[in-house]
């Protein structure tokens, strides 16, 4: 925008702006405050020609994700629904089912200290660190005992 601030004819940029707004309203018809910080221009450039976007299905997912307390970044819902990249949601919490599956897979044994624990005495941890792009999925979940999890976090 700044490189065009002295243009006398803003018709081209105005048309682009209108195209982006109309596209966003067409696929996400219900306006929410979480939409304000979304980079709609980027999403438009990469997704406006897609024919597989169903506004009704997308709205149902937006509603579900807005209610999900594990979704820490609500504006990330829109890019997530278009890209499938869960990093936009800032989800770091493993579901109870993922925690239990990891516990069973490990046989209740902490992979760091090799001691056996009850599920309630263990913490879900990302094998590939979340901060380095590790997803919050069952395959990336390991259960650590509380002391090992604290030591790992202190490094």
């Amino acid at each position: 925008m700044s490189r065009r601030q002295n243009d006398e004819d803003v018709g081209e940029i105005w048309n682009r702006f209108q195209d982006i707004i109309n596209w966003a309203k067409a696929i996400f018809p219900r306006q929410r405050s979480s939409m304000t910080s979304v980079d709609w221009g980027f999403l438009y450039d990469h997704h406006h020609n897609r024919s597989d976007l169903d506004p009704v299905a997308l709205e149902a997912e937006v509603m579900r994700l807005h209610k999900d307390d594990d979704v820490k970044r609500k504006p990330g819902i829109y890019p997530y629904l278009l890209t499938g990249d869960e990093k936009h949601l800032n989800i770091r919490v493993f579901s109870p089912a993922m925690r239990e599956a990891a516990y069973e897979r490990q046989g209740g044994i902490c992979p760091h200290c090799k001691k056996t624990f009850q599920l309630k005495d263990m913490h879900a941890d990302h094998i590939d660190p979340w901060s380095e792009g590790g997803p919050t999925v069952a395959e990336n979940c390991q259960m650590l005992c509380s002391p090992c999890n604290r030591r790992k976090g202190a490094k």
Side-chain angles (χ1 to χ4, degrees):
M1 282 277 223
S2 63
R3 66 185 163 101
R4 296 186 161 248
Q5 67 185 353
N6 296 318
D7 288 2
E8 290 189 26
D9 180 15
V10 293
E12 181 182 334
I13 199 160
W14 178 253
N15 289 338
R16 175 173 164 71
F17 176 76
Q18 290 299 312
D19 288 346
I20 293 168
I21 296 295
N22 291 333
W23 172 77
K25 284 181 177 181
I27 61 166
F28 298 109
R30 184 168 171 206
Q31 293 184 335
R32 293 179 172 84
S33 60
S34 59
M35 299 173 100
T36 58
S37 62
V38 174
D39 185 352
W40 290 106
F42 177 83
L43 294 176
Y44 174 82
D45 290 342
H46 290 87
H47 301 282
H48 78 277
N49 285 326
R50 289 178 55 184
S51 61
D52 64 326
L53 300 176
D54 176 5
V56 174
L58 288 170
E59 176 58 24
E61 279 299 288
V62 170
M63 287 176 58
R64 183 184 70 77
L65 291 167
H66 263 279
K67 293 175 188 174
D68 188 335
D69 291 333
D70 291 335
V71 175
K72 302 298 182 205
R73 189 171 181 283
K74 302 301 184 189
I77 291 171
Y78 306 97
Y80 164 73
L81 290 174
L82 296 172
T83 67
D85 185 355
E86 91 170 4
K87 286 298 254 186
H88 293 290
L89 301 176
N90 200 16
I91 294 177
R92 296 183 64 169
V93 180
F94 291 101
S95 72
M98 288 188 267
R99 294 169 43 86
E100 202 168 306
Y103 179 81
E104 293 299 327
R105 184 174 63 242
Q106 293 171 209
I109 299 170
C110 174
H112 287 207
C113 68
K114 309 297 185 210
K115 295 179 185 172
T116 302
F117 292 88
Q118 295 295 313
L119 176 60
K120 66 181 178 58
D121 298 320
M122 299 184 87
H123 299 269
D125 178 63
H126 288 79
I127 297 167
D128 293 325
W130 185 86
S131 61
E132 296 174 13
T136 306
V137 295
E139 299 79 27
N140 195 37
C141 181
Q142 66 180 345
M143 299 303 291
L144 301 178
C145 68
S146 295
C148 287
N149 191 48
R150 278 194 299 278
R151 276 194 297 277
K152 181 178 178 262
K155 292 179 183 179

